[in-house]
Amino acid sequence: MTSTDLMEAARTVRENAHAPYSNFKVGAAIRGKSGKVYVGCNVENVAYPQGTCAEAGAIAAMVAAGETEIAEIAVIAGSPEPVSCCGGCRQKIAEFAAGDVVVSMGTTGGNTMTATVAELLPGAFDQSYMGGSK
Ligand code: THU
């Protein structure tokens, strides 16, 4: 699957987003190291903080399938500019992706930009910081 195909998978799952409160539908697709693709969409809730992002859904699907290494990720929304993954999702992605993994961010209109995980989350908190914790 190419990066374009991955964005198309994100575009397709975006249609299933449950976003009645923001009306902002987001789709995400992850290609795992195995080559398999996992998709997710945002799922909002009337108790707003309980809503989940598209990236979180795709990560959950990947982990549930027994895979824990992200090779590539694509995220799409109906925004004028390529959607920027929220801070929480950057940390969630960093849990399963090396710093050089490419994140493609797209609009339904066809605008795309890419960044690496390290660019999206410089100075990420990781397990190395927990070495001396008591
Ligand atoms: N959203 C995502 O799904 N991913 C992001 O990275 C940015 C925000 C969702 C959350 C909420 O359902 C809607 O977009 C508006 O914030």
Side-chain angles (χ1 to χ4, degrees), residues 2-40:
T2 67
S3 300
T4 310
D5 295 336
L6 201 63
M7 189 60 82
E8 285 310 304
R11 181 189 292 273
T12 300
V13 71
R14 176 183 167 275
E15 296 298 329
N16 294 337
H18 176 71
Y21 308 107
S22 70
N23 286 314
F24 189 71
K25 292 185 166 194
V26 186
I30 289 171
R31 184 162 51 77
K33 282 268 163 70
S34 71
K36 284 189 188 157
V37 172
Y38 308 95
V39 295

Side-chain angles (χ1 to χ4, degrees), residues 22 24 26 42 44 53-55 84-86:
S22 70
F24 189 71
V26 186
N42 53 333
E44 296 183 350
C53 284
E55 297 90 325
S84 180
C85 302
C86 80

Side-chain angles (χ1 to χ4, degrees), residues 55-107:
E55 297 90 325
I59 288 169
M62 177 189 76
V63 174
E67 191 155 3
T68 54
E69 283 185 83
I70 296 175
E72 195 180 349
I73 179 164
V75 187
I76 193 167
S79 45
E81 296 300 326
V83 65
S84 180
C85 302
C86 80
C89 284
R90 292 174 191 215
Q91 184 71 36
K92 288 184 178 80
I93 292 167
E95 179 77 13
F96 300 106
D100 63 353
V101 164
V102 173
V103 183
S104 297
M105 294 159 280
T107 71

